[in-house]
């Protein structure tokens, strides 16, 4: 018999941060595009505990500088 993993609620990011998906929605692009920006264009993101977090002020600065 296979045991199922318990359902876990996703925690909210800390104040002043967004998830990768939230950043994508804010920028009007897909999450895949944001991942590509991270790899190829130096988009400011960190990946603690296996999921990306984006500091809002760093993201806004990057958008101003990179259009």
């Amino acid at each position: 018999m296979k045991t199922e993993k318990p359902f876990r609620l996703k925690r909210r990011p800390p104040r002043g941060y967004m998830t990768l998906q939230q950043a994508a929605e804010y920028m009007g692009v897909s999450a895949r595009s944001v991942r590509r920006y991270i790899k190829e264009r130096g988009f400011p993101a960190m990946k603690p505990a296996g999921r990306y977090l984006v500091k809002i002020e760093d993201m806004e600065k990057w958008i101003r500088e990179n259009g």
Side-chain angles (χ1 to χ4, degrees):
M1 180 171 10
K2 200 174 196 182
T3 37
E4 292 185 34
K5 292 182 180 180
F7 177 77
R8 294 184 345 170
L9 292 174
K10 293 183 180 181
R11 292 184 16 209
R12 289 184 181 162
R15 188 177 305 257
Y17 289 84
M18 288 184 173
T19 64
L20 184 116
Q21 184 63 41
Q22 290 170 328
E25 290 172 12
Y26 179 84
M27 295 170 64
V29 297
S30 68
R32 184 176 180 185
S33 292
V34 176
R35 285 188 191 92
R36 191 175 51 235
Y37 297 160
I38 292 167
K39 287 183 177 182
E40 298 174 5
R41 297 180 62 192
F43 186 81
M46 61 181 118
K47 196 172 183 181
R51 70 175 189 166
Y52 282 108
L53 288 178
V54 179
K55 191 171 183 181
I56 295 169
E57 64 186 52
D58 292 345
M59 175 186 62
E60 290 175 345
K61 181 180 176 188
W62 185 89
I63 291 170
R64 284 192 303 273
E65 293 174 355
N66 295 280

